[in-house]
Amino acid sequence: MSALCDPAGPPAPPAPTAHGPASPLSAQELAQEIKAFLTGVDPVLGHQLSARDHARCGLLLLRSLPPARAAVLDHLRSVFDESVRAHLTMLDEGAATSPQHLRPTLPSHVPSGGPGLEDVIQEVQQVLSEFIRANPKAWAPVVSAWSIDLMGQLSSKYSGRHQRVPHAAGSLNELLQLWMGCRATRTLMDIYVQCLSALIGSCPDACVDALLDTSVQHSPHFDWVVAHIGSSFPGTIISRVLSCGLKDFCVHGGAGGGSGAAGSAPPTPSADTFPSSPAVPGEKRVPKIASVVGILGHLASRHGDSIRRELLRMFHESLAGGRGGDPSLQATVPFLLQLAVMSPALLGTVSGELVDCLKPPSVLSQLQQHLQVFSREELDNMLSLAVHLVSQASGAGAYRLLQFLVDTAMPASVITTPGLAVPDAVREACDRLIQLLLLHLQKLVHNRGGSPGDGLLGPPPPPRAVPFLDALRSHVGELCGETLRLERKRFLWQHQLLGLLSVYSRPSCGPEALGHLLSRARTPEELSLATQLYAGLAVSLSGLLPLALCSCLARVHAGTLLPPFTARLLRNLALLVGWEQQGGEGPATLGARVGEAVSGQLPDLAPLLLHPEEEVAEAASSLLAICPFPQGALLPAQLLSLVRAGVSRFFASLRLHGPPGVSSASRLLARLSQASPAGLKAVLQLLVEGALHRGNAELFGGEGEGANESPMAASGAASPYLLETNRRHTTAVPGPGGVWSVFHAGVIGRGLKPPRSAQNRSEQEVIYNTQSLLCLLVHCCSGAGGPGAGAGGSDGWGAPALSPEAAKAVAVTLVESVCPDAAGAELAWPPEDHARTTVERDLRIGRRFREHPLLFELLRLVAAAPPALCYCSVLLRGLLAALLGHWEASRHLDTSKSPWQLEASCTLVAVMAEGSLLPPTLGNMHEVFDKLAPFEVRLLLLSVWGFLREHGPLPQKFAFQPERGRFARDFSREGGGPHLAVLHSVLHRNIDRLGLFSGRFQAWPPAPLRQGT
């Protein structure tokens, strides 16, 4: 009855009802209607009023008696409640009895909103709509508050109580579809939308306030109402919701976790003319910020741009308001911070443009002045909120926000762009913000596994995510590049952030960050950042270096790591290994770990020796030259691939850089030769084969590719067929051993073959290259152990003692390279007549010696380790036979007309003497070759042939002498006097010129005399 005594409101519009009189009621009739409404009994007939008649009685009072508005609206709540209950019951019964397509249709007289209430609800909507249209300022706030509150009560009351009503945590679309299918709730929604539309041009705050209050009380069951209304009026709802939330935030002084504005106004009583419910003294109002967060969160998915624009507008307006102005402007920044903390969706909406909003220095200055009115405690609270918000930033805006903070916190430089100077207070604030952020991230990273008791009664919870670090995963390369710039403070912050990111995103991020630092560091100072990162992560991340090296090599082979960075990576790894080996001040522990990691990646590092970029191949050679090999012997496949790549690298460096550039490749091959006997044999074999290859022959004075091409062939003319050529020589096709296939000096009709092309390299360069190759071969041969290697690796004169086994490998390789068809031939020397059957092979051997001067140097190397020269017997025999044929055919008076043959004859005899195949007396005869006639040289060479045929070059004739540390041959037991007769005869014939050499050709002394000397 108290509701009927409310003060009079605005007059109701004079419109007739569907059942009431057309004229105003008299006092007696009005009293009867009031009595009927209060008692629920018909005053004339005396029976109980039906729900429909009772509701219509209330509507009649609502039109005729404005003070009864609150009571009538309160009674109508039960009408709508009954309609909703009946609608849901009908849905439950229909779902339980039969499938959807087999349910019986309802009778036409039974409405979908409950039996007999649909027309009443329609009348209610008509009456309230007339009131709103007639006087929106007075009726719209009251009716909107009533309708929105009733929707909230109905949503909460029936949530989960009926099988057709999904839970609030389910799909919002299902809830919206269900409630909008009910006539009662749809009518309430239409009434509220009409109220909001009527006030949208003047002051919709009352409607929005009611929406916020109801959302606070009935969320999340009320979310479907917020979603529908927000989608219908996005601009109005967003701006008014934020405005009402800001006002409430000022009134409550930051209750609920927010920071209130200084000097905020005290709470003011409600200005509603007709309150929907009496105020309760001492009632504690619930802050609306949670409802604001919920409403904006629902609208963020579809209206994110509008929300972002409105939030940024509020921010800029608060800065433009100045100091000491409107309290709501002063509270805007804390309000926005609190919103972002409570809603990650809103934070993600704004974070994309936050950096652009704060970039202008004028904005930062205004913000700094705006915050001066707050107390120290409030500033600390806002700083804590800012740290939390940055740690929750995600997406592309996270990295931009980090860069903005770091750039702003950097100390002022000497050169500053005009207009871009940042105030010192702002710079110090950003500095403190970054330090607190790093500390906060450190706590989050190291405590993200949960408390020690978690998981005892069930599976442990998943690690807590840190959105800021998740967003930085894709920017590890940029962070490493910024760190290596070594700018003040900046690189320290980013280096610490890299460590936290590596621990958070293990095991992938740590190896990636370390790989970036190793591949980009250009100075020892920059490389030290990688060592510091490793030192900080080695405890928490096991196997960090192998993973980093494996990922880097995978990028190299995939082509995603550019050659300059690949070369830098390999050089830095070599530098770290070198620090450990040299025992300097570098990180020795890291160097040892790097060496172990590199030794495990030899199969992937070996192909880099063949990289097309020179700097990459050279860096790989430098690394492999000093890195330790795996424990134990290398696998045969790994060893062979390394040897092949190392030999190719040696010749490539020799071609491009000359002997000074082969140091790393030489060290690598020397180490590989010491790894195992198989490694030694592979190194020697490939070095000799590579040096005799057409592509490398010109490095050592030999004939390169295309050296013997005829001018017509070089010009592109087609060469004649072999059959036509042979037909010009004879009518019969010659056999493979015939004279025509041997003595072709050219093509009939085209003249002789062109002479040998001149060398492209100077004599000094050829000598230098030859010495580099021989030094490497000597190093490899002297490093091998076994009998004959000498004590301490050198002979009595301090020269390196060569291993006979290594020299034998060189000898076998020479035979296979020069004359493959003679490989494995007998070592015994055949009679002179046997040379007639091997004319073609002997000429080919002689031609190879002429094309490759290096062969003589290699024979000298083999001869230095007796009895290895015995295994070159077929080459010596073929070369000697070719020289005998030349001197026999020569018609010159002296040997100077055949300079190469003269030099080859002298070298051949000297090599056989050095290899102990000839006694010293016969071995010295080459000293007089240049003073003799060709036929005399032939006679002397025939005596050499005869000695070798009688005393064959067999290894069994050599004995190991421990005092000398090498194998030697005792010629005192072998009779050689008959073979000196020709030599003495030639001396007597030329006594006038060779008399001084007679002492060099005396018979060798007996064995006791030699041992005495």
Side-chain angles (χ1 to χ4, degrees):
M1 194 61 195
S2 60
L4 296 177
C5 300
D6 288 343
T17 61
H19 65 285
S23 60
L25 298 176
S26 63
Q28 184 179 1
E29 292 173 341
L30 186 60
Q32 290 179 354
E33 292 294 335
I34 293 175
K35 184 178 179 180
F37 178 75
L38 293 177
T39 60
V41 179
D42 191 334
V44 178
L45 301 177
H47 61 79
Q48 191 77 18
L49 293 176
S50 65
R52 178 184 303 177
D53 295 336
H54 201 171
R56 286 173 175 170
C57 180
L59 291 177
L60 180 60
L61 290 178
L62 188 61
R63 286 180 174 277
S64 306
L65 188 64
R69 179 179 58 183
V72 174
L73 291 178
D74 188 64
H75 173 74
L76 292 177
R77 291 175 181 265
S78 62
V79 177
F80 280 87
D81 180 48
E82 178 64 21
S83 178
V84 170
R85 185 193 62 78
H87 174 73
L88 295 178
T89 302
M90 183 182 59
L91 292 179
D92 290 345
E93 292 176 355
T97 57
S98 62
Q100 178 72 25
H101 65 283
L102 297 179
R103 295 176 191 170
T105 59
L106 294 176
S108 59
H109 65 276
V110 179
S112 61
L117 295 179
E118 184 183 28
D119 52 349
V120 175
I121 290 176
Q122 184 177 1
E123 293 175 9
V124 171
Q125 182 179 7
Q126 291 176 356
V127 171
L128 294 180
S129 298
E130 292 173 0
F131 288 161
I132 296 170
R133 286 194 299 269
N135 193 353
K137 185 175 182 181
W139 283 93
V142 177
V143 175
S144 64
W146 169 80
S147 62
I148 205 72
D149 182 64
L150 181 55
M151 280 191 287
Q153 291 180 0
L154 295 175
S155 300
S156 299
K157 179 179 179 179
Y158 294 102
S159 175
R161 294 178 57 181
H162 290 263
Q163 60 179 353
R164 298 289 295 175
V165 182
H167 195 268
S171 172
L172 189 62
N173 292 329
E174 294 180 8
L175 275 176
L176 187 61
Q177 183 178 3
L178 172 70
W179 288 119
M180 293 303 291
C182 178
R183 177 60 183 271
T185 51
R186 185 173 70 250
T187 300
L188 291 175
M189 181 68 74
D190 294 339
I191 292 173
Y192 179 83
V193 169
Q194 184 181 2
C195 295
L196 184 58
S197 301
L199 296 179
I200 197 169
S202 56
C203 183
D205 290 351
C207 297
V208 177
D209 247 343
L211 180 65
L212 294 179
D213 292 335
T214 308
S215 178
V216 171
Q217 296 176 10
H218 300 287
S219 180
H221 313 293
F222 189 69
D223 292 346
W224 68 273
V225 180
V226 176
H228 181 74
I229 296 176
S231 300
S232 302
F233 305 92
T236 302
I237 291 298
I238 291 172
S239 60
R240 294 304 175 177
V241 164
L242 287 173
S243 177
C244 295
L246 178 59
K247 292 179 181 179
D248 186 77
F249 186 80
C250 297
V251 170
H252 284 76
S259 298
S264 58
T268 59
S270 176
D272 292 343
T273 308
F274 302 104
S276 60
S277 60
V280 179
E283 179 187 5
K284 184 177 181 181
R285 297 183 58 193
V286 180
K288 299 178 182 178
I289 190 169
S291 180
V292 173
V293 169
I295 293 174
L296 296 181
H298 285 303
L299 299 177
S301 59
R302 294 187 177 181
H303 306 282
D305 294 338
S306 301
I307 295 176
R308 178 171 57 253
R309 287 194 299 268
E310 188 64 26
L311 293 175
L312 294 179
R313 182 193 63 79
M314 293 179 61
F315 174 72
H316 287 293
E317 286 183 357
S318 66
L319 297 185
R323 298 168 55 184
D326 188 358
S328 63
L329 296 179
Q330 298 179 12
T332 299
V333 173
F335 172 68
L336 295 178
L337 288 175
Q338 189 65 32
L339 280 181
V341 168
M342 297 178 65
S343 176
L346 295 181
L347 176 62
T349 301
V350 180
S351 61
E353 295 185 5
L354 184 60
V355 174
D356 296 332
C357 175
L358 296 175
K359 262 189 177 182
S362 59
V363 176
L364 294 176
S365 301
Q366 292 177 1
L367 180 60
Q368 187 263 338
Q369 296 174 5
H370 179 78
L371 297 178
Q372 287 180 357
V373 299
F374 294 92
S375 63
R376 183 69 181 178
E377 182 180 359
E378 291 173 331
L379 289 175
D380 290 340
N381 291 336
M382 284 189 285
L383 185 61
S384 300
L385 290 178
V387 169
H388 175 74
L389 291 177
V390 174
S391 66
Q392 298 301 313
S394 60
Y399 180 70
R400 294 187 61 203
L401 181 58
L402 173 66
Q403 293 299 100
F404 169 75
L405 292 176
V406 172
D407 293 338
T408 308
M410 279 292 294
S413 58
V414 179
I415 303 175
T416 304
T417 305
L420 297 180
V422 179
D424 293 338
V426 176
R427 184 179 295 109
E428 293 173 0
C430 285
D431 190 339
R432 186 182 177 195
L433 177 61
I434 292 177
Q435 294 178 4
L436 293 177
L437 173 63
L438 292 175
L439 181 60
H440 181 63
L441 291 176
Q442 184 176 3
K443 294 179 181 179
L444 292 177
V445 168
H446 293 287
N447 297 332
R448 64 190 298 256
S451 60
D454 291 342
L456 295 180
L457 300 179
R464 292 186 293 270
V466 183
F468 183 72
L469 295 180
D470 287 331
L472 293 182
R473 284 183 179 181
S474 58
H475 299 278
V476 174
E478 292 90 334
L479 286 175
C480 292
E482 294 288 336
T483 304
L484 291 174
R485 292 169 59 181
L486 297 178
E487 295 181 353
R488 293 179 298 173
K489 290 189 176 181
R490 184 190 195 101
F491 81 96
L492 297 176
W493 295 330
Q494 293 179 332
H495 190 269
Q496 185 177 355
L497 185 60
L498 279 176
L500 294 175
L501 190 58
S502 300
V503 176
Y504 174 78
S505 303
R506 55 185 162 187
S508 61
C509 188
E512 181 182 358
L514 186 60
H516 280 296
L517 293 178
L518 290 175
S519 61
R520 298 187 181 189
R522 292 170 292 185
T523 62
E525 291 78 11
E526 295 179 358
L527 186 58
S528 64
L529 294 178
T531 64
Q532 295 171 13
L533 181 64
Y534 172 78
L537 299 178
V539 178
S540 56
L541 297 179
S542 59
L544 177 59
L545 269 176
L547 289 176
L549 184 57
C550 184
S551 64
C552 289
L553 292 178
R555 293 174 58 198
V556 171
H557 293 297
T560 58
L561 189 63
L562 297 179
F565 296 106
T566 303
R568 202 172 299 164
L569 168 68
L570 299 175
R571 285 195 294 265
N572 289 333
L573 292 175
L575 184 60
L576 291 175
V577 176
W579 281 349
E580 188 269 337
Q581 293 181 354
Q582 296 173 3
E585 299 180 358
T589 305
L590 178 59
R593 302 293 184 189
V594 170
E596 295 176 1
V598 172
S599 64
Q601 301 294 332
L602 290 180
D604 292 328
L605 287 171
L608 297 183
L609 293 170
L610 307 176
H611 200 277
E613 294 292 335
E614 176 62 22
E615 58 175 347
V616 175
E618 182 59 30
S621 177
S622 301
L623 174 60
L624 293 174
I626 62 174
C627 77
F629 290 151
Q631 296 293 336
L634 285 170
L635 296 177
Q638 296 180 358
L639 180 62
L640 185 59
S641 63
L642 277 173
V643 171
R644 288 185 180 277
V647 170
S648 299
R649 181 62 209 157
F650 174 82
F651 290 111
S653 299
L654 190 63
R655 178 181 300 277
L656 295 175
H657 308 293
V662 300
S663 58
S664 60
S666 299
R667 292 197 306 270
L668 172 61
L669 292 176
R671 294 185 60 214
L672 291 174
S673 66
Q674 299 171 6
S676 64
L680 172 63
K681 182 178 180 181
V683 169
L684 296 176
Q685 178 180 356
L686 292 178
L687 278 176
V688 173
E689 291 178 354
L692 299 179
H693 190 268
R694 285 278 186 179
N696 302 321
E698 54 94 15
L699 294 173
F700 309 101
E703 295 183 7
E705 296 178 345
N708 286 331
E709 291 183 358
S710 63
M712 295 192 66
S715 62
S719 58
Y721 292 103
L722 180 61
L723 180 59
E724 296 179 358
T725 304
N726 289 329
R727 283 175 178 175
R728 294 183 182 182
H729 289 283
T730 178
T731 57
V733 178
V739 295
W740 298 115
S741 63
V742 176
F743 293 104
H744 281 180
V747 178
I748 297 176
R750 296 182 183 175
L752 297 174
K753 293 181 180 179
R756 258 181 59 184
S757 59
Q759 298 179 1
N760 296 328
R761 300 180 181 269
S762 62
E763 184 178 357
Q764 292 79 4
E765 187 177 359
V766 171
I767 295 176
Y768 202 1
N769 294 339
T770 303
Q771 290 301 317
S772 299
L773 175 64
L774 294 178
C775 287
L776 177 57
L777 292 174
V778 169
H779 192 182
C780 295
C781 294
S782 61
S794 62
D795 56 14
W797 301 97
L802 305 184
S803 169
E805 290 298 325
K808 176 184 175 182
V810 177
V812 173
T813 304
L814 280 176
V815 174
E816 294 176 351
S817 300
V818 175
C819 190
D821 56 345
E826 296 183 3
L827 302 183
W829 208 276
E832 180 184 358
D833 296 340
H834 183 269
R836 298 177 182 177
T837 62
T838 59
V839 174
E840 185 175 0
R841 187 182 70 184
D842 296 340
L843 289 178
R844 186 166 63 250
I845 293 176
R847 187 164 56 251
R848 290 298 302 274
F849 271 89
R850 186 165 186 172
E851 294 174 353
H852 299 279
L854 179 64
L855 288 173
F856 290 105
E857 303 297 334
L858 294 176
L859 287 179
R860 288 195 180 98
L861 175 66
V862 174
L869 191 61
C870 298
Y871 298 96
C872 291
S873 175
V874 63
L875 298 184
L876 301 176
R877 187 166 62 246
L879 179 60
L880 183 57
L883 293 175
L884 285 173
H886 172 77
W887 294 124
E888 182 181 8
S890 178
R891 295 298 180 262
H892 300 291
L893 298 179
D894 55 3
T895 57
S896 60
K897 302 298 182 179
S898 302
W900 184 87
Q901 287 78 6
L902 175 61
E903 182 181 2
S905 301
C906 297
T907 304
L908 177 61
V909 174
V911 165
M912 289 191 291
E914 185 177 0
S916 299
L917 300 186
L918 294 177
T921 306
L922 290 178
N924 294 334
M925 69 170 58
H926 65 87
E927 299 177 3
V928 298
F929 279 177
D930 58 336
K931 301 174 175 59
L932 301 178
F935 76 95
E936 295 174 328
V937 174
R938 178 179 177 276
L939 292 176
L940 295 180
L941 292 179
L942 284 175
S943 64
V944 171
W945 186 290
F947 178 84
L948 291 174
R949 184 179 61 82
E950 183 177 349
H951 307 283
L954 302 177
Q956 296 82 355
K957 296 185 177 182
F958 291 80
F960 182 70
Q961 297 181 357
E963 66 277 3
R964 299 181 60 186
R966 59 178 297 176
F967 288 90
R969 181 177 178 180
D970 187 7
F971 287 101
S972 61
R973 300 177 182 177
E974 301 178 8
H979 304 285
L980 295 177
V982 177
L983 176 60
H984 292 161
S985 175
V986 171
L987 288 177
H988 292 163
R989 185 174 182 277
N990 302 281
I991 193 64
D992 55 335
R993 294 183 291 111
L994 303 180
L996 297 177
F997 294 92
S998 58
R1000 300 277 293 168
F1001 304 107
Q1002 300 298 323
W1004 47 89
L1009 182 59
R1010 290 177 57 85
Q1011 295 178 359
T1013 58

